[in-house]
Amino acid sequence: YTQGSAITVDARGSFDPSRASADLAYAWTLEKQVDGSSVFAGAEWPEGLVLSGPVLALPVGALPVGTWRITVAVGAEGGQGRRRLAEASDARSVTSVVVEVVADLVPSLTFDPLALAPGAQPAVWSRRDLRLSLVARLDESAAALTGAWTFAWSVYALGADGARTPVPGALDGAIPLSPGPGAAGMALASGALSAGASYTFVLTAKPTAASLAAGVYSALGAVAEVVVRTNRPPFAGTFTVTPATGVEVETEFSLTASGWSDDASDLPLGYAFSYTGSEEGRAPGEGVSEDFLLSLVSGARALANWPVLVSADTSSAAATARMPAGNHTVLVTVSDVHGAVAVVTDGVVVEPSALDCDGASTALDEAESYLGSADADATRALVRLLAPIVVAKCEADPEADLMIRLF
């Protein structure tokens, strides 16, 4: 038996042909084997045990590690029977059992390495490969006991002083994983954790009742912990657009992101500038997903009804842009190397151009002639601005405008 096991010795099979079972009395004695010999010496029972019945129940931890001999003497109840019981030496009324108590087998429980580096775990994600998945495994011997373990998770927020605070709801929506025998895992829901915070995840593995009865592993089971620090997005910066008003095609707006910072391990920062106009039923910028904003940083081309990417150079914290007529929300998406983003907006009002058909057509022809220049992106943006003006002022074919805008 292990120290974590309860021990039961049952003498109810004893009988006396001349007496009823209820008339039998029982006396239990305990001896411990002397180290290095075959001799057993008398020992005291722990307090609180019932030593007068046919069943001896020893709770967990009642006997220290060692080899013990438990003897029961059975005799007649009452009168001289008690004296005879205490002095019994007849093999028909005395029997013993030797019990070896060994140190508890405590399994080891170990977490798999996290997929992302410390501090790189996003608190919010839209891609499966960025989600927080935790897996822990018992050692090979413990894992071999099929169905012998139950697992329980808990989550604590870590304060600056190391104090732990339970986090209610952190495991809501978590997806259980099946990493194999003797292992447990889960994938957290996006947004379950706060950005820029540290958490301790604790997994407890306890033996089932069946495995406890086998007397192999400690009832305490095994506990493993892992600390996860979520990545915080860039912070402390500002975003300005100047001027606040202008004229389409003619006004070049300056977009500037200043003072942005992040942890040293999250640098360098990337900047993506874009703009969008008001749309009926939706405020400017509303409904823009973080996944799309990340795609802006990677240089993906914006489509209709999405923010129009101003510059593909994500290393620069400034850009310039010309915009079509309308009320526009201008965005800067600041990202770190792990993909955490901060989005700040500003607004501008752009008045319609005063160019007539000839002026717009001439400007469009000139812009197209520069498409092969070093600043081809800016030229394409200007072409897309001039095309609808030509359509409107010269009554051109809208399909031709569409072809130009998608160029």
Side-chain angles (χ1 to χ4, degrees):
Y1 293 88
T2 67
Q3 284 181 292
S5 303
I7 301 174
T8 301
V9 184
D10 193 341
R12 285 177 294 185
S14 303
F15 71 97
D16 186 332
S18 62
R19 295 178 177 83
S21 297
D23 294 333
L24 297 179
Y26 300 83
W28 298 87
T29 57
L30 177 68
E31 299 168 288
K32 184 177 182 182
Q33 186 177 34
V34 178
D35 293 340
S37 72
S38 59
V39 177
F40 284 83
E44 295 293 327
W45 288 108
E47 294 183 1
L49 297 181
V50 177
L51 302 173
S52 59
V55 177
L56 175 65
L58 299 176
V60 172
L63 297 182
V65 172
T67 301
W68 304 84
R69 184 163 63 192
I70 300 172
T71 301
V72 60
V74 184
E77 180 69 60
Q80 294 298 313
R82 289 193 180 278
R83 182 183 61 78
R84 291 198 304 272
L85 178 60
E87 299 173 355
S89 59
D90 191 313
R92 291 175 298 175
S93 61
V94 179
T95 188
S96 300
V97 62
V98 175
V99 174
E100 184 177 4
V101 178
V102 297
D104 290 331
L105 290 179
V106 178
S108 62
L109 182 64
T110 308
F111 274 98
D112 287 357
L114 295 176
L116 300 177
Q121 179 62 51
V124 178
W125 54 86
S126 56
R127 302 202 321 258
R128 180 186 178 92
D129 60 317
L130 291 177
R131 72 181 185 178
L132 175 57
S133 297
L134 300 173
V135 174
R137 306 175 191 275
L138 289 164
D139 61 81
E140 185 175 348
S141 296
L145 297 177
T146 305
W149 304 98
T150 59
F151 296 93
W153 293 90
S154 53
V155 187
Y156 302 89
L158 287 179
D161 58 355
R164 295 184 177 188
T165 304
V167 185
L171 301 181
D172 292 351
I175 302 172
L177 303 178
S178 300
M186 68 171 176
L188 264 68
S190 175
L193 306 179
S194 299
S198 294
Y199 298 87
T200 296
F201 287 81
V202 180
L203 179 62
T204 302
K206 290 203 170 184
T208 61
S211 60
L212 275 179
V216 177
Y217 285 98
S218 166
L220 298 176
V223 178
E225 300 182 357
V226 64
V227 175
V228 174
R229 183 166 63 88
T230 55
N231 182 26
R232 61 174 172 175
F235 56 90
T238 62
F239 176 51
T240 58
V241 180
T242 56
T245 60
V247 178
E248 67 175 334
V249 178
E250 300 176 20
T251 303
E252 186 174 69
F253 294 90
S254 296
L255 289 58
T256 307
S258 304
W260 288 92
S261 183
D262 209 337
D263 299 328
S265 59
D266 298 344
L267 300 177
L269 301 180
Y271 303 86
F273 299 94
S274 56
Y275 66 86
T276 183
S278 299
E279 185 178 356
E280 184 177 354
R282 190 182 75 179
E286 182 181 343
V288 179
S289 70
E290 183 173 283
D291 189 38
F292 179 78
L293 294 170
L294 285 171
S295 74
L296 293 181
V297 177
S298 65
R301 188 173 187 178
L303 303 177
N305 297 328
W306 289 105
V308 177
L309 184 64
V310 170
S311 172
D313 181 9
T314 61
S315 63
S316 176
T320 59
R322 300 176 190 270
M323 305 180 205
N327 297 330
H328 297 289
T329 297
V330 188
L331 306 89
V332 62
T333 302
V334 187
S335 64
D336 65 19
V337 294
H338 302 301
V341 299
V343 181
V344 183
T345 63
D346 199 358
V348 295
V349 177
V350 183
E351 300 294 338
S353 171
L355 289 173
D356 58 14
C357 176
D358 290 339
S361 297
T362 300
L364 181 59
D365 291 340
E366 292 178 352
E368 289 178 324
S369 68
Y370 288 101
L371 284 175
S373 67
D375 199 7
D377 288 339
T379 304
R380 286 191 179 91
L382 182 58
V383 168
R384 286 193 290 268
L385 289 178
L386 287 166
I389 298 176
V390 172
V391 170
K393 299 296 178 67
C394 304
E395 299 182 356
D397 182 358
E399 292 187 3
D401 166 52
L402 178 62
M403 294 301 294
I404 295 174
R405 290 167 63 87
L406 292 178
F407 176 72

